[in-house]
């Protein structure tokens, strides 16, 4: 709260009253704090891979280069960490573009069955390497009006998280349904995307925060899976841009379900 005290003076008198102006600056302060936290987070996230690249390169230069096996494993780490940096910077640019609304969506009709098949194909290798079964259930005649690249990004992010946070041998599935509006107006029809996994789940207390930038339930696990901590934040923004809603249901040790409802036409 910011308080301004202004004496009200009348001619000839010192003052005859006091004007008290109360400004609620909580929202501004909160924004300022969020921004500085964000900058601190970005710096930290960028520094971690850079420190690894630098450290391993130094060790190689100091002599580890002579041992072929050591050299190979260090170079692999350097390569992986550079990839992480690349992903991080890509996600940050993407997020900043979306947040500043500099990306006009290109709406077009999308035939959902082949579209979802294509998304799953992209993730096949990631799933196979963990022996995870991917499955889909999409009506053959369903179309949606959406931005194709952005919708792909949403689905791939959620499916990829499902695979990352599910132990070997588990399952990740996606189903898509047409949800007619209750009042019979075709303009208000929705399409519901449901992405479920049989993974580690998300503790109740963390659920409200997982869409925040860089928020992770378990930092170590997210790092191992190559996550940037920005995926769900991007998903949330892209869903908002499509005037959609996203909801999460999860139980620790059982699995998680992400559900997105989006208008069928725009
Ligand atoms: P990350 O790059 O760390 O995966 P995200 O923004 O995609 O970042 O997700 C934020 C956090 O939410 C993750 O670090 C993880 O803790 C949790 N999370 C997301 N999806 C799932 C899921 N399907 N199952 C369990 N936890 C999840």
């Amino acid at each position: 709260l910011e308080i301004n005290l202004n004496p009200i003076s009348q001619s000839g008198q010192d003052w005859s009253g006091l004007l008290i102006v109360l400004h609620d600056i909580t929202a501004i302060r909160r924004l300022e704090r969020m921004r500085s936290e964000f900058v601190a987070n970005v710096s930290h996230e960028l520094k971690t891979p850079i420190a690894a690249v630098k450290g391993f390169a130094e060790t190689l230069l100091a002599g580890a280069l002579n041992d072929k096996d050591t050299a190979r494993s260090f170079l692999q780490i350097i390569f992986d960490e550079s990839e992480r940096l690349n992903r991080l910077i890509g996600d940050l640019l993407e997020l900043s573009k979306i947040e500043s609304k500099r990306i006009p969506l290109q709406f077009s009709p999308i035939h959902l069955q082949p579209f979802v098949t294509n998304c799953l194909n992209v993730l096949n290798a990631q799933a196979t390497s963990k022996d995870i079964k991917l499955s889909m259930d999409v009506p053959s005649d369903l179309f949606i009006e959406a931005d194709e690249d952005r919708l792909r990004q949403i689905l791939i992010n959620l499916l990829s998280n499902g695979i990352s946070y599910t132990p070997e041998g588990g399952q990740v599935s996606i189903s898509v349904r047409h949800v007619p509006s209750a009042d019979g107006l075709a303009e208000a029809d929705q399409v519901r995307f449901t992405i479920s996994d049989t993974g580690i789940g998300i503790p109740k207390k963390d659920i409200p925060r997982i869409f925040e930038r860089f928020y992770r339930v378990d930092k170590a696990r997210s790092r191992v899976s190559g996550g940037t901590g920005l995926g769900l934040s991007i998903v949330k923004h892209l869903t908002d841009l499509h005037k959609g809603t996203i909801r999460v249901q999860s139980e620790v040790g059982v699995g998680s379900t992400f559900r997105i409802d989006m208008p069928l036409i725009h």
Side-chain angles (χ1 to χ4, degrees), residues 161 165 197 201-202 210 215-217 222 227-232 256:
N161 274 350
Y165 299 104
D197 63 57
I202 305 163
I210 55 172
Y215 190 82
R216 288 122 154 178
V217 176
S222 164
T228 60
L230 296 172
L232 283 184
S256 309

Side-chain angles (χ1 to χ4, degrees), residues 128-142:
T128 312
S129 72
K130 286 182 76 181
D131 191 24
I132 284 175
K133 188 168 162 277
L134 288 178
S135 62
M136 63 179 261
D137 175 7
V138 187
S140 61
D141 57 352
L142 189 56

